[in-house]
Amino acid sequence: MQTRHSSCTTILVGKKASIDGSVMAGRNDDTFLPLTPQRYVVYPAYHNHPNQVKSYLNHFVGDRPADGYRYQGVPNVDLKKEGVYDENGFNEKNVAMSATESVYANERVLAFDPLNTESGINEDVIVALTLPFIDSARHGVEYLGQQVAKYGSAEGNGVIFADRDEVWYMEIVTGHHWVAQRIPDDCYALTGNRVAIQEVDFGDPDNFMWSAGIQDFVAQHHLNPDPDGWNFRRIFGTADVFDQHYNTPRQWYGHKLFNPELKFDPMDLDLPFVMKCDHLISLEEVQAYLGSHYQNTPYDPLGHGSEEDKRRFRPISLNRTQNSHVLQIKPDLPEAAQTIMWMALGGAPTFTPYLPLFGNADQADARLRNTPAELDLDDPSFYWLFKRLAMLVEAHHAEFAQADLDYLKALRQFFHTWVAQTAAQTKDLDPAAASAVLNQAQTAMLDQVEKDTKTLMAKLISDGIGLSKLTFKMDVNL
């Protein structure tokens, strides 16, 4: 089995914690290498066709039901080398899934329930195994839990499920054991590559789910370090110097943004997973968190801190963030247009826009669907378009940041208007007609994004020529 896990950051927002009553589930997909090309696809529904899903990274083979819903995915281009990794999307029942947040269990628990690395469920097929067959967020946890019991898990994974009412976070930490928590409606939650769930209430099945026998497993092997309580993170997770520099600072910075009055430490191993916010959270704030890099702190790699501080903590947005997404369910829109996958594809989300892709658009534009494995300057794919934009802005960040920010703000304004107008056109339409409207509108929206992006890039290249250090002015007084 290949062991180049992705390393991601997750933010979840309950419907009463958001400014517009929407549920939001966001995650950065950060791969091992800076270039791991991805593409956006829509998988069609199928009927009366039993089939299997197979991992390219180990020997897992899983049976799939004879009937499956249409669903979105953002797979890798080179499947045989990198694995599939569909990552995120909605199915036609308006259920969202994002997978996975790589998490790591400690050696004590793995000694008694090791990962099934040879033939267990691998991250690269977990979406294809689950999303086409679920009808709600809660059902997603139940369904995937059944698959883990059947096949075992090849690795530790945090999995997100959301619908218009609920958002669930499920952590699969050993070969067969897991816990899932429903994020309270008036709260947000943050995590990054660490076991996140803390106190588990086994008397509250409405808000927690868990693998069969997990309490007996912990008791039998004397795994709980606390005399009182049942803290999933402390029992199953890790707490080491790697966590303090790679993982916990990302949680710390999110809490700093959403609760600035609270003074946490970036290396605190007991930072809370779930919190209430001091205000209602907007989509733009979720996107800003996923695109952040410790701005206004000494730890910003693009800031003015010491070189030691700028390298001290792993930032949230990276050059190897291949896909950053916010899965939003907006109950104030017509049902056919309630699900929107806001996706920054290719470039680091610090510098590139989140495209609004409706969950019930049943076609993928060729500029998103057809991503070549290598950069081709004549190719129109958005993955490589945004990779180039991000590189241009970062190369001269001090000079280009404002122009990039102006471009992003203008697009966000355009997107809000476009979403509202497009959604209104789907009211009272049957599903097929609604999908046709969404498909056509999406193409026009992407045309505008392409035009604006190329206009900005032309300006940055022209301005960048004047920033060359290979220049010389003769002092005429010499």
Side-chain angles (χ1 to χ4, degrees):
M1 174 183 171
Q2 295 186 20
T3 56
R4 296 194 309 186
H5 301 296
S6 58
S7 51
C8 312
T9 304
T10 289
I11 175 170
L12 311 171
V13 181
K15 60 186 179 181
K16 292 182 180 179
S18 68
I19 198 169
D20 59 357
S22 66
V23 165
M24 290 183 280
R27 185 172 65 87
N28 281 359
D29 170 32
D30 306 327
T31 58
F32 184 76
L33 298 174
L35 292 177
T36 308
Q38 295 182 344
R39 62 196 192 98
Y40 165 75
V41 299
V42 178
Y43 297 100
Y46 65 88
H47 305 284
N48 300 315
H49 180 62
N51 62 97
Q52 295 178 321
V53 61
K54 301 179 181 180
S55 172
Y56 284 95
L57 304 184
N58 68 355
H59 300 296
F60 172 74
V61 178
D63 294 323
R64 301 207 306 174
D67 299 285
Y69 300 132
R70 183 190 72 237
Y71 69 104
Q72 301 165 305
V74 191
N76 290 328
V77 170
D78 191 340
L79 304 182
K80 292 185 178 179
K81 180 181 178 182
E82 302 292 345
V84 179
Y85 291 93
D86 279 316
E87 296 296 345
N88 51 280
F90 288 97
N91 68 19
E92 64 184 274
K93 293 297 182 179
N94 286 357
V95 182
M97 181 178 181
S98 179
T100 72
E101 179 82 35
S102 296
V103 297
Y104 304 94
N106 62 64
E107 60 272 24
R108 297 186 307 278
V109 296
L110 290 173
F112 299 106
D113 185 26
L115 297 167
N116 181 7
T117 56
E118 289 297 315
S119 59
I121 299 170
N122 201 292
E123 180 184 356
D124 79 315
V125 294
I126 201 167
V127 172
L129 184 70
T130 310
L131 186 55
F133 315 108
I134 58 176
D135 295 288
S136 69
R138 181 181 293 270
H139 183 211
V141 175
E142 294 169 346
Y143 187 89
L144 182 54
Q146 293 167 0
Q147 305 308 303
V148 172
K150 181 177 180 180
Y151 298 108
S153 181
E155 57 208 343
N157 287 314
V159 183
I160 302 162
F161 295 102
D163 56 35
R164 63 176 291 165
D165 293 315
E166 299 185 330
V167 54
W168 282 82
Y169 187 64
M170 178 183 188
E171 291 188 305
I172 307 162
V173 286
T174 66
H176 301 88
H177 285 301
W178 55 270
V179 163
Q181 181 175 2
R182 181 184 184 274
I183 307 306
D185 291 342
D186 59 350
C187 292
Y188 71 92
L190 301 169
T191 187
N193 298 129
R194 233 187 130 215
V195 174
I197 296 172
Q198 295 172 289
E199 289 294 330
V200 177
D201 185 350
F202 291 102
D204 184 9
D206 291 336
N207 293 295
F208 291 92
M209 288 188 272
W210 53 87
S211 54
I214 191 170
Q215 291 171 276
D216 292 338
F217 170 79
V218 169
Q220 178 185 351
H221 299 293
H222 311 289
L223 299 173
N224 190 347
D226 297 321
D228 300 301
W230 208 95
N231 187 305
F232 186 62
R233 182 194 292 171
R234 285 176 56 80
I235 296 169
F236 284 87
T238 58
D240 54 34
V241 67
F242 178 84
D243 291 315
Q244 291 176 308
H245 288 268
Y246 197 82
N247 301 329
T248 62
R250 288 179 276 158
Q251 260 187 321
W252 162 77
Y253 191 69
H255 292 316
K256 179 178 175 63
L257 294 178
F258 296 114
N259 281 293
E261 74 284 358
L262 300 178
K263 305 302 179 184
F264 292 123
D265 188 293
M267 299 178 71
D268 184 352
L269 292 166
D270 291 317
L271 288 169
F273 171 48
V274 175
M275 289 280 290
K276 291 186 178 182
C277 187
D278 67 350
H279 63 277
L280 296 176
I281 299 171
S282 68
L283 171 69
E284 288 77 17
E285 289 178 290
V286 173
Q287 294 173 347
Y289 170 66
L290 293 173
S292 64
H293 43 88
Y294 307 127
Q295 294 97 312
N296 301 314
T297 78
Y299 314 117
D300 183 357
L302 301 177
H304 303 288
S306 68
E307 290 305 310
E308 182 180 5
D309 277 342
K310 289 195 289 185
R311 295 193 301 269
R312 189 178 302 277
F313 300 136
R314 182 261 209 222
I316 293 163
S317 175
L318 298 171
N319 68 337
R320 53 189 177 90
T321 301
Q322 309 301 331
N323 153 20
S324 179
H325 54 270
V326 182
L327 304 172
Q328 184 183 33
I329 304 103
K330 287 177 61 65
D332 59 329
L333 297 180
E335 186 173 359
Q338 286 184 355
T339 56
I340 307 169
M341 178 167 70
W342 298 87
M343 182 172 64
L345 180 66
T350 307
F351 309 118
T352 60
Y354 282 84
L355 305 175
L357 304 175
F358 282 103
N360 282 305
D362 60 7
Q363 295 177 11
D365 187 278
R367 290 165 289 188
L368 299 173
R369 184 180 69 247
N370 300 328
T371 302
E374 296 181 352
L375 173 62
D376 178 350
L377 294 178
D378 295 322
D379 180 80
S381 71
F382 273 30
Y383 174 89
W384 287 107
L385 177 70
F386 292 131
K387 275 292 185 190
R388 284 178 280 175
L389 173 61
M391 189 202 71
L392 279 172
V393 178
E394 186 181 352
H396 295 289
H397 184 255
E399 294 83 4
F400 290 171
Q402 187 60 54
D404 183 64
L405 180 60
D406 293 342
Y407 151 85
L408 293 175
K409 284 184 175 180
L411 277 180
R412 286 196 293 265
Q413 180 176 335
F414 164 64
F415 290 154
H416 280 299
T417 302
W418 177 83
V419 165
Q421 293 176 345
T422 303
Q425 296 175 42
T426 68
K427 187 177 181 181
D428 301 326
L429 295 181
D430 63 63
S435 291
V437 168
L438 298 176
N439 293 336
Q440 184 176 9
Q442 210 150 266
T443 297
M445 177 270 294
L446 294 173
D447 289 343
Q448 186 65 50
V449 172
E450 181 177 14
K451 177 183 176 181
D452 291 353
T453 304
K454 288 183 175 178
T455 298
L456 173 64
M457 290 173 65
K459 180 182 186 305
L460 297 183
I461 291 171
S462 298
D463 291 349
I465 293 171
L467 298 175
S468 172
K469 294 181 180 179
L470 290 177
T471 186
F472 183 79
K473 285 187 177 182
M474 177 68 76
D475 188 338
V476 295
N477 294 320
L478 289 178

